[in-house]
Amino acid sequence: MSDQSARVTPVILAGGSGTRLWPLSRKSYPKQFVPLLGEDTLFRSVVRRLSGDGEGYGFARPVVLTNATFRFIVAEQLAQEGVDAEAIMIEPSVRNTAPAILAAALHLIAHDPEAVMLVAPSDQVVPDADAFRAAVSRGLGAARAGDLVTFGIAPTRPETGYGYLQVVAKPDGSGEPIKLARFVEKPNAERAGEMLARGDHLWNAGIFLFAAKDLVAAFEAHAPDVLAAVVPAVEQAEGDLGFLRLAPESWGRAPDISIDYAIMERAGNLSVVPYDSGWSDLGGWDAVWSHAGPDGDGVTVSGGATAIDCSDTLLRSDSEGMELVGIGLSNIIAVAMNDAVLIADKSRAQDVKLAVEALKAKGAVQAESFPKDHRPWGWVEGLLAGERFQVKRITVQPGQSLSLQSHFHRSEHWIVVEGTAKVTVDEKVTLLTENQSLYVPAGAKHRVENPGKIPVVFIEVQTGTYLGEDDIVRYEDRYARK
């Protein structure tokens, strides 16, 4: 569509670091980027869902909000979908959804004062993309008339894990926007049952549709302190390798507040689009179990998992070579990775966050970090560690390279097991193919590059008195890391 007024810009929020799907989702690599249901990721699915044309409108290139840690993961998964973002905006620190959404609105207004934006989290499951696009179409009239539109999910159970939207009238099944009466915080079980029976409450999906200028006007009226911090953060934003990095000093002054508290619970021009075609925020392993399609016994297995005489159980192994076997289990969640295993009663799925808190309290790295660490050029996976040595498997994607660097306290031995690597050690450049190895003494400047068309995989053995990641001096780095 050539008519810019018929364009809707997706604003995708991708900076979250949920813990309720631990150990698969962790702070260093959260659920939106992980293949949870099959080979797809939630981030890639929302990018597809918010692409192409709906009825009477078309999606423009998306704006993505994320943090510095995830920026290359976002860029990689966008490229896998063949999508070129309007902007990937980097939040210097965590400030919740209100500052993030406002930053996107200000960025869009600078290019198109009449921009319409659809805000969506990157960690939700919406199985019927066409039905969702149709719901957006039904909400566009209200948004263009000046309303702030949110989407309410028809509840299927008395859920206590979601906030609710009370609408002024029961939805009539048409899906047309209804005026919002009020927001309701997460209820207890009794209250949730009452709201379900009334029929005038919907789950709050955290999805919003509005003209960018109307959102900015709402911040002027209801949250000027957020606006005062975010405006200079956007105006002083700097380009960085194709990303747009918000100014950290100004951004740091923004209140840590959600869009619900800052705007939606205070504004009067609110409408809700009812939606009943399937939705989940995959807020726990019980939700993953449900969406994975349990068999006739209520069992779902994935990866190297085997169930014998089990019922209402999820068994999942996400590590190569890790076999997980359940025998005679009922109502159990078991998730195995090579560095952590979760076993829980399915009724306690929402308490997985307690495990993360307990591990953090005891200083266990598994609370937040994976052995597999994603980098701009590929990834590093820890295999074995001792007091004065570490063994890692390193994968470098085609056309990528590590920084030119040196270490004070450790030397390294490399052996290539897949592909061909271009290796620099001080002034010497060598091509290493499979089964060839090289020694890098402490203090030597070195780099590994992948000039080929398939990934390079090599085993690195580090030895020395100190093996921490902060023992790196970078001389050149195409990814602008310090």
Side-chain angles (χ1 to χ4, degrees):
M1 295 181 181
S2 59
D3 181 2
Q4 289 301 308
S5 66
R7 309 301 294 187
V8 174
T9 299
V11 174
I12 301 174
L13 306 179
S17 54
T19 59
R20 289 181 293 175
L21 292 180
W22 185 90
L24 185 63
S25 174
R26 308 188 200 180
K27 184 177 180 180
S28 66
Y29 202 65
K31 66 176 182 178
Q32 60 264 33
F33 304 120
V34 175
L36 273 169
L37 300 171
E39 297 299 317
D40 206 1
T41 71
L42 299 179
F43 179 80
R44 290 182 61 181
S45 68
V46 74
V47 169
R48 286 197 305 275
R49 186 162 64 248
L50 306 187
S51 300
D53 291 339
E55 184 178 344
Y57 71 97
F59 283 115
R61 295 188 300 156
V63 173
V64 182
L65 278 296
T66 190
N67 58 48
T69 302
F70 304 148
R71 67 193 190 279
F72 291 105
I73 301 171
V74 165
E76 179 184 9
Q77 295 201 4
L78 283 168
Q80 289 169 347
E81 292 300 321
V83 172
D84 183 21
E86 160 64 30
I88 300 175
M89 304 180 75
I90 308 302
E91 302 173 63
S93 55
V94 177
R95 284 297 179 270
N96 216 312
T97 55
I101 295 170
L102 176 59
L106 293 168
H107 174 78
L108 291 173
I109 286 175
H111 299 84
D112 176 11
E114 301 301 318
V116 175
M117 52 195 286
L118 175 70
V119 179
S122 60
D123 58 356
Q124 298 182 348
V125 174
V126 182
D128 192 337
D130 289 338
F132 181 77
R133 294 188 190 104
V136 174
S137 180
R138 291 192 294 272
L140 270 175
R144 289 181 175 137
D147 273 7
L148 306 179
V149 178
T150 185
F151 290 75
I153 309 302
T156 57
R157 60 187 183 277
E159 176 61 54
T160 61
Y162 301 148
Y164 284 72
L165 307 169
Q166 184 178 6
V167 290
V168 297
K170 292 182 180 181
D172 61 7
S174 68
E176 293 298 320
I178 308 171
K179 287 296 182 180
L180 176 67
R182 67 187 183 101
F183 283 79
V184 180
E185 293 294 322
K186 295 177 181 179
N188 59 30
E190 181 180 1
R191 177 67 176 137
E194 293 172 355
M195 291 190 294
L196 181 64
R198 284 174 55 115
D200 61 350
H201 287 76
L202 305 169
W203 291 337
N204 182 3
I207 304 173
F208 307 99
L209 177 68
F210 31 64
K213 64 181 181 181
D214 293 330
L215 180 69
V216 173
F219 273 93
E220 290 172 344
H222 305 293
D225 53 339
V226 180
L227 189 69
V230 176
V231 166
V234 174
E235 290 178 343
Q236 299 162 19
E238 296 182 352
D240 176 9
L241 297 176
F243 305 103
L244 187 62
R245 190 181 294 272
L246 296 164
E249 184 176 349
S250 302
W251 185 259
R253 293 195 295 267
D256 183 347
I257 187 170
S258 72
I259 191 72
D260 285 353
Y261 285 129
I263 300 299
M264 306 304 284
E265 294 188 3
R266 303 177 183 181
N269 55 328
L270 301 178
S271 293
V272 181
V273 174
Y275 185 76
D276 61 2
S277 295
W279 171 91
S280 174
D281 70 345
L282 287 189
W285 282 113
D286 52 343
V288 175
W289 168 83
S290 176
H291 279 272
D295 64 16
D297 294 319
V299 174
T300 175
V301 297
S302 60
T306 302
I308 301 173
D309 295 331
C310 295
S311 62
D312 297 324
T313 288
L314 180 148
L315 299 177
R316 180 175 183 131
S317 172
D318 277 271
S319 293
E320 184 180 349
M322 173 72 74
E323 291 292 331
L324 173 65
V325 180
I327 301 176
L329 301 179
S330 179
N331 211 50
I332 292 294
I333 293 166
V335 182
M337 303 191 71
N338 61 356
D339 68 329
V341 177
L342 169 71
I343 302 173
D345 190 281
K346 191 149 63 70
S347 66
R348 301 288 300 275
Q350 294 302 310
D351 290 334
V352 171
K353 59 186 178 182
L354 301 178
V356 177
E357 293 170 4
L359 291 174
K360 288 171 67 175
K362 66 188 291 188
V365 296
Q366 290 92 334
E368 297 184 335
S369 299
F370 280 105
K372 187 175 182 179
D373 186 12
H374 288 258
R375 306 289 176 87
W377 40 259
W379 55 86
V380 179
E381 185 175 4
L383 301 178
L384 187 64
E387 185 176 348
R388 294 173 62 91
F389 76 93
Q390 287 188 115
V391 181
K392 298 182 176 182
R393 176 166 52 194
I394 299 176
T395 300
V396 185
Q397 297 284 34
Q400 305 299 316
S401 70
L402 282 66
S403 60
L404 182 64
Q405 59 185 252
S406 67
H407 312 290
F408 289 111
H409 303 290
R410 72 175 185 248
S411 59
E412 297 174 344
H413 302 255
W414 297 336
I415 179 168
V416 175
V417 294
E418 293 181 29
T420 298
K422 179 182 177 182
V423 177
T424 300
V425 179
D426 287 330
E427 304 301 321
K428 186 177 181 181
V429 178
T430 306
L431 285 178
L432 293 184
T433 59
E434 293 180 15
N435 295 322
Q436 292 184 319
S437 61
L438 190 72
Y439 171 68
V440 182
K445 292 182 180 180
H446 58 279
R447 170 160 49 200
V448 176
E449 303 172 68
N450 182 354
K453 296 183 178 180
I454 64 171
V456 164
V457 181
F458 64 98
I459 303 300
E460 177 182 270
V461 180
Q462 302 175 357
T463 59
T465 57
Y466 179 73
L467 305 173
E469 279 297 297
D470 55 347
D471 182 22
I472 296 178
V473 179
R474 287 195 173 98
Y475 304 95
E476 297 175 11
D477 183 43
R478 66 166 64 179
Y479 311 107
R481 293 169 297 173
K482 296 182 180 179

